[in-house]
Amino acid sequence: MRSNFSNCSRKAITMYKQTCTNLLELSSAKVTEWISSFDSVITDCDGVLWIYGQALDGSADVMNQFKAMGKSIYFCTNNSTKTRSELLKKGVELGFHIKENGIISTAHATAAYLKRRNFSKRVFVIGSEGITKELDAVGIRHTEVGPEPMRGSLAEFMAEHLTLDTDIGAVVVGFDEHFSFPKMMKAASYLNDPECLFVATNTDERFPMPNMIVPGSGSFVRAIETCAERQPTVIGKPNPAICESLVREKKIDPSRTLMIGDRANTDILLGYNCGFQTLLVGSGIHQLKDVEQWKKSKDPEDKKLIPDVYLPKLGDLLPAIVDALVGSK
């Protein structure tokens, strides 16, 4: 989906632009200067602020101090499994000073996207209750989520169990721990109608965990893309449209906005696409070794993934913020 706002263009931001400068190696004065170069902060959640429901050390303190300094704060997540109110509850419980209007989630943005299109049919949802609850909130009808296992052989399933509804006007795909062959088959069948909308909350490929890999929403989206032979409208990062309203309503100035993330191909690329400054933290998906590979690459798309600055974790910034506050008094 193309963004239609021109203000979200890459303005000339020269401070450490795409150098992956380690903030821990800069002087206190330089870090203070950097902190003063942005007025708004947009941050990813999982891998930056918290992991597995536990706040990362110092992350709440840093974000709360940013807010105390007068900077506007936004949490922006591709996680479609929770509503904005659920994300707010989680954030407050973990010590973050945030309000619901400061949360940007793909479940909410997906519902808002369909509402703007005056969508009146029913949605076939491959995902979780985070999506269906947000659809309910704007009055859009949908299928239920949960397991839909393969019953019997393919021939038996098609003859005895497969039924396609006639009022489906959109297929929405997010994270679905019950993803199955029947769901993929139904989605592709609905999408065989060119008038049926194909919407993906996000395309995050996977979530690395100790000794295993958890498939992300992108894995399910790609499977359906292949089967349906169609490309979806992607709502979440790195699509700049997810921040369009902030720019359009002049809540942020892209040239004075910092994007913080742990995943370069969503968070950092969003920052590049919108003309934000970018900070990569090493507490999640991508690490310095990945950045070194992108620096060596001749592919211009890889160059877009290189952040302006880097920290091992967001909490490492707290001493510099304290120094900046003391210095301003």
Side-chain angles (χ1 to χ4, degrees):
M1 178 171 59
R2 292 181 180 275
S3 173
N4 60 8
F5 58 101
S6 59
N7 287 337
C8 205
S9 59
R10 290 180 297 280
K11 296 182 179 180
I13 302 172
T14 57
M15 184 171 285
Y16 312 118
K17 189 64 179 175
Q18 292 184 290
T19 59
C20 195
T21 297
N22 191 331
L23 291 173
L24 296 182
E25 297 176 357
L26 297 179
S27 68
S28 177
K30 285 292 184 183
V31 176
T32 299
E33 179 187 17
W34 172 76
I35 291 172
S36 68
S37 71
F38 53 86
D39 304 315
S40 304
V41 180
I42 302 174
T43 180
D44 179 47
C45 297
D46 294 292
V48 178
L49 305 180
W50 56 68
I51 292 181
Y52 312 134
Q54 298 296 317
L56 285 162
D57 184 37
S59 62
D61 293 326
V62 168
M63 295 305 299
N64 293 342
Q65 288 288 0
F66 276 153
K67 189 170 185 179
M69 295 170 80
K71 300 183 188 296
S72 56
I73 304 299
Y74 299 93
F75 291 6
C76 183
T77 177
N78 273 356
N79 184 344
S80 64
T81 66
K82 296 185 183 301
T83 64
R84 286 204 305 174
S85 61
E86 289 169 340
L87 286 165
L88 173 65
K89 182 174 183 291
K90 178 177 182 177
V92 170
E93 287 175 349
L94 294 178
F96 294 92
H97 300 164
I98 189 73
K99 295 183 178 179
E100 188 167 322
N101 61 7
I103 295 175
I104 307 165
S105 77
T106 51
H108 177 265
T110 296
Y113 168 75
L114 292 173
K115 189 67 174 178
R116 286 196 304 271
R117 292 181 64 103
N118 296 316
F119 182 81
S120 60
K121 292 188 175 182
R122 202 155 62 103
V123 180
F124 179 68
V125 178
I126 294 179
S128 67
E129 288 187 349
I131 297 171
T132 57
K133 287 178 180 178
E134 294 287 11
L135 291 174
D136 287 337
V138 295
I140 293 178
R141 297 173 298 125
H142 56 81
T143 59
E144 297 306 310
V145 296
E148 190 168 350
M150 187 72 172
R151 292 189 279 177
S153 66
L154 177 58
E156 291 171 334
F157 172 73
M158 293 177 65
E160 301 174 19
H161 305 293
L162 177 61
T163 56
L164 296 174
D165 298 323
T166 59
D167 59 347
I168 298 297
V171 172
V172 170
V173 184
F175 182 79
D176 190 341
E177 62 187 26
H178 300 295
F179 187 71
S180 63
F181 188 92
K183 289 187 178 185
M184 183 166 67
M185 189 172 179
K186 284 186 176 182
S189 297
Y190 291 131
L191 291 169
N192 203 41
D193 176 0
E195 297 300 314
C196 184
L197 302 177
F198 184 12
V199 182
T201 60
N202 64 294
T203 54
D204 295 39
E205 301 89 352
R206 60 183 193 165
F207 305 100
M209 296 179 68
N211 305 316
M212 71 182 70
I213 296 293
V214 176
S217 302
S219 300
F220 314 135
V221 173
R222 299 299 181 225
I224 295 169
E225 275 185 13
T226 302
C227 188
E229 297 184 342
R230 285 184 56 180
Q231 297 293 311
T233 293
V234 181
I235 299 296
K237 300 173 291 185
N239 191 332
I242 199 163
C243 293
E244 180 174 358
S245 64
L246 294 179
V247 178
R248 185 180 63 247
E249 296 168 14
K250 301 188 183 304
K251 293 181 178 178
I252 64 172
D253 173 358
S255 67
R256 292 191 58 81
T257 298
L258 174 69
M259 179 69 213
I260 307 173
D262 69 305
R263 187 190 290 264
N265 61 348
T266 55
D267 305 321
I268 303 306
L269 186 55
L270 174 70
Y272 176 90
N273 289 339
C274 288
F276 302 154
Q277 298 187 57
T278 56
L279 163 61
L280 176 70
V281 293
S283 51
I285 302 297
H286 287 127
Q287 307 296 324
L288 283 177
K289 60 181 177 59
D290 299 303
V291 178
E292 291 306 313
Q293 292 301 312
W294 299 326
K295 285 183 175 181
K296 296 174 185 176
S297 174
K298 298 185 184 303
D299 186 344
E301 294 302 309
D302 286 341
K303 300 299 185 184
K304 297 177 182 179
L305 306 180
I306 301 172
D308 301 342
V309 292
Y310 168 84
L311 281 172
K313 67 179 186 301
L314 184 59
D316 292 333
L317 192 59
L318 188 58
I321 291 180
V322 173
D323 288 345
L325 287 170
V326 171
S328 66
K329 294 179 179 179

